[in-house]
């Protein structure tokens, strides 16, 4: 079902955003050849048309077959054709000798197609209903100068086709590249080739929409849950502060609790143990290693970060980082932490974990998992 839903979503995305209904008319010159092609000049051979010698006028007969087809993806109504510049074609480098022979793809077109001709080689088609896939074919008998061929030039204005964007295909479909067909054609088989692209885009859009929806749903829940926890933590801190003379260490512990909850309180205890172990290591290696190795130990093995958001300075400093790398923690921090943890335990808000009882080098590994 999930696969069908994704496929349906991909098709919907394609139909809504990628499949464009666009008008398009294609002129195809199916044939443009001489009626009589004599490769060798014969002095006594002449061609008469309507009693006139074409040879004396230096002319040749050409039969041109042109098919005009609605290759777009939308049916065209009479109102889509301009009355001033109707759909048609102009014969360049030639003279039309007789009325064109017209055939079409439907009975409606056979009954209603009207070709209007002027003396300048222009053929216009009166406005009609021109559905997708329908075509009109004209056979034109054209006299052209000897050694040349007739040139067909599309003409007219159709709604939705800008700047006379009409293409001429001189029966050379084999020269059209496969990828050009994929990117331009509207054949159902070509769209089958396009489908993997539509599917990927559909899946991507589906994932983006689902992800955005989840974010919009979860973001307020997370925000209000965090806000609720902070309000609750502030209430507990306020109750603890009532009728107590708080020292700087007490205030720091309470601030950490209000911002980070019980996890922040655990972090303070872990930090104290880490500092004690760090001091022990530095003291034991003093005089045994050079300064460079000592700095490497501090940088890569004994990394420590204070959890306090407020660190006092001067004589009453809660944390002091000595020049030799030792960390001095004011004893009042231990007292403040112990008192507040006892208060939380009494209220059922705090429970000692096994990770808080570890010692030695495991403290630094513990800090990576519990300090977040």
């Amino acid at each position: 079902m999930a696969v069908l839903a994704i496929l349906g979503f991909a098709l919907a995305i394609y139909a809504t955003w990628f499949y464009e209904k666009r008008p398009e008319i294609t002129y195809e010159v199916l044939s443009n050849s001489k009626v009589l092609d004599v490769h060798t000049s014969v002095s006594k051979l002449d061609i008469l048309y309507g009693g006139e010698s074409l040879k004396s006028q230096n002319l040749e007969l050409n039969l041109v077959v042109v098919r005009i087809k609605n290759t777009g993806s939308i049916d065209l109504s009479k109102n889509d054709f301009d009355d001033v510049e109707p759909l048609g074609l102009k014969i360049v480098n030639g003279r039309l000798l007789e009325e064109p022979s017209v055939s079409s793809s439907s009975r409606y077109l056979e009954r209603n197609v009207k070709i209007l001709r002027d003396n300048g080689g222009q053929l216009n088609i009166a406005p009609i209903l021109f559905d997708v896939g329908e075509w009109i074919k004209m056979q034109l008998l054209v006299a052209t100068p000897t050694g040349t061929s007739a040139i067909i030039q599309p003409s007219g204005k159709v709604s939705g086709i800008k700047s006379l964007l009409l293409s001429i295909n001189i029966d050379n479909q084999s020269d059209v590249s496969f990828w050009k067909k994929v990117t331009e054609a509207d054949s159902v088989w070509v769209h089958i080739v396009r489908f993997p692209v539509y599917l990927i885009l559909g899946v991507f859009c589906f994932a983006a929409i689902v992800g955005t929806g989840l974010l919009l749903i979860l973001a307020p829940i997370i925000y209000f849950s965090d806000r609720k926890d902070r309000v609750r933590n502030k209430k507990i801190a306020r109750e603890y502060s009532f009728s107590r003379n708080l020292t700087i260490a007490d205030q720091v512990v309470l601030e950490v609790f209000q911002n980070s909850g019980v996890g922040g309180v655990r972090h303070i205890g872990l930090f104290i143990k880490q500092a004690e172990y760090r001091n022990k290591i530095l003291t034991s290696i003093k005089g045994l290693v050079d300064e460079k190795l000592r700095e490497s130990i501090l940088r890569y093995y004994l990394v420590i970060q204070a959890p306090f958001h407020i660190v006092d300075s001067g004589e009453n400093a809660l944390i002091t980082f000595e020049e030799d790398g030792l960390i001095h923690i004011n004893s009042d921090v231990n007292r403040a932490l112990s008192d507040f943890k006892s208060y939380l335990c009494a209220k059922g808000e705090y429970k000692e974990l096994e990770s808080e009882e570890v010692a030695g080098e495991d403290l630094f590994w513990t800090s990576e998992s519990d300090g977040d």
Side-chain angles (χ1 to χ4, degrees):
M1 292 297 292
V3 174
L4 292 177
I6 293 174
L7 289 176
F9 187 78
L11 289 174
I13 291 293
Y14 160 67
T16 303
W17 288 324
F18 297 99
Y19 184 74
E20 299 180 7
K21 290 187 175 182
R22 64 177 187 273
E24 182 180 78
I25 293 180
T26 301
Y27 283 67
E28 295 176 295
V29 179
L30 303 179
S31 175
N32 189 353
S33 59
K34 295 179 176 60
V35 174
L36 181 61
D37 192 1
V38 181
H39 298 281
T40 302
S41 177
V42 181
S43 59
K44 295 183 179 182
L45 178 64
D46 195 0
I47 298 176
L48 300 179
Y49 181 83
E52 296 183 5
S53 171
L54 296 181
K55 185 176 182 180
S56 63
Q57 300 179 57
N58 198 28
L59 296 176
E60 294 178 336
L61 280 181
N62 286 265
L63 181 62
V64 183
V65 181
V66 181
R67 181 167 63 190
I68 304 174
K69 185 176 182 179
N70 182 349
T71 54
S73 54
I74 185 172
D75 297 334
L76 299 174
S77 67
K78 293 182 179 181
N79 293 330
D80 291 322
F81 298 95
D82 188 19
D83 293 332
V84 179
E85 296 183 26
L87 183 70
L89 60 86
K90 183 178 179 62
I91 301 172
V92 182
N93 194 41
R95 175 165 56 92
L96 185 64
L97 297 178
E98 58 184 38
E99 294 296 325
S101 173
V102 180
S103 60
S104 59
S105 58
S106 69
R107 292 182 179 180
Y108 165 80
L109 292 177
E110 289 178 359
R111 294 193 306 266
N112 293 279
V113 169
K114 295 180 180 179
I115 306 298
L116 308 177
R117 175 185 175 188
D118 65 12
N119 296 326
Q122 178 71 41
L123 296 175
N124 294 327
I125 302 174
I128 52 172
L129 300 178
F130 204 16
D131 294 341
V132 174
E134 299 286 3
W135 50 263
I136 301 168
K137 185 164 63 176
M138 291 186 283
Q139 293 187 11
L140 311 173
L141 188 60
V142 182
T144 61
T146 301
T148 64
S149 298
I151 298 174
I152 302 301
Q153 177 180 308
S155 63
K157 181 67 178 76
V158 181
S159 178
I161 302 178
K162 299 179 180 179
S163 304
L164 294 177
L165 296 179
L166 306 176
S167 60
I168 302 178
N169 298 329
I170 308 177
D171 200 22
N172 59 350
Q173 288 299 307
S174 59
D175 295 333
V176 179
S177 69
F178 172 77
W179 289 112
K180 185 175 180 66
K181 293 179 180 178
V182 169
T183 56
E184 294 184 358
D186 285 306
S187 167
V188 64
W189 299 108
V190 174
H191 285 299
I192 291 176
V193 177
R194 291 180 181 175
F195 183 74
V197 177
Y198 300 145
L199 178 61
I200 293 173
L201 290 174
V203 171
F204 175 79
C205 293
F206 180 77
I209 293 173
V210 172
T212 303
L214 290 175
L215 181 62
L216 292 176
I217 294 173
L218 294 178
I221 295 176
I222 295 173
Y223 171 78
F224 286 109
S225 176
D226 182 67
R227 181 179 176 82
K228 180 180 178 181
D229 290 341
R230 285 176 178 268
V231 170
R232 186 167 180 272
N233 292 341
K234 287 183 179 180
K235 180 181 179 181
I236 293 175
R238 187 167 56 251
E239 292 174 351
Y240 179 78
S241 303
F242 185 74
S243 71
R244 279 187 174 88
N245 293 323
L246 301 180
T247 65
I248 295 177
D250 290 316
Q251 295 174 18
V252 168
V253 171
L254 290 179
E255 181 183 353
V256 172
F257 173 72
Q258 291 180 68
N259 291 325
S260 304
V262 172
V265 175
R266 297 190 198 282
H267 192 186
I268 296 176
L270 182 62
F271 170 75
I272 294 174
K273 290 183 179 293
Q274 286 178 322
E276 292 173 350
Y277 175 69
R278 174 186 167 117
N279 292 344
K280 179 180 178 181
I281 293 296
L282 292 178
T283 301
S284 64
I285 65 174
K286 186 176 182 180
L288 301 177
V289 298
D290 57 25
E291 187 65 22
K292 184 176 180 180
L293 178 57
R294 185 174 175 279
E295 290 296 327
S296 297
I297 293 174
L298 285 173
R299 179 175 298 180
Y300 298 110
Y301 298 101
L302 299 178
V303 180
I304 191 170
Q305 182 179 3
F308 301 159
H309 292 194
I310 300 176
V311 180
D312 195 11
S313 59
E315 295 181 358
N316 296 321
L318 300 182
I319 303 175
T320 302
F321 292 89
E322 305 291 347
E323 292 183 1
D324 56 2
L326 297 177
I327 299 176
H328 174 71
I329 299 178
N330 193 308
S331 60
D332 196 38
V333 174
N334 275 308
R335 192 273 314 159
L337 179 63
S338 178
D339 289 351
F340 188 59
K341 284 170 62 176
S342 298
Y343 177 79
L344 291 177
C345 288
K347 292 179 65 67
E349 298 288 342
Y350 191 91
K351 183 179 180 180
E352 293 283 352
L353 301 178
E354 292 183 4
S355 60
E356 296 181 64
E357 302 300 327
V358 299
E361 61 181 7
D362 290 338
L363 285 167
F364 288 89
W365 294 107
T366 304
S367 66
E368 293 181 3
S369 58
D370 292 349
D372 292 337

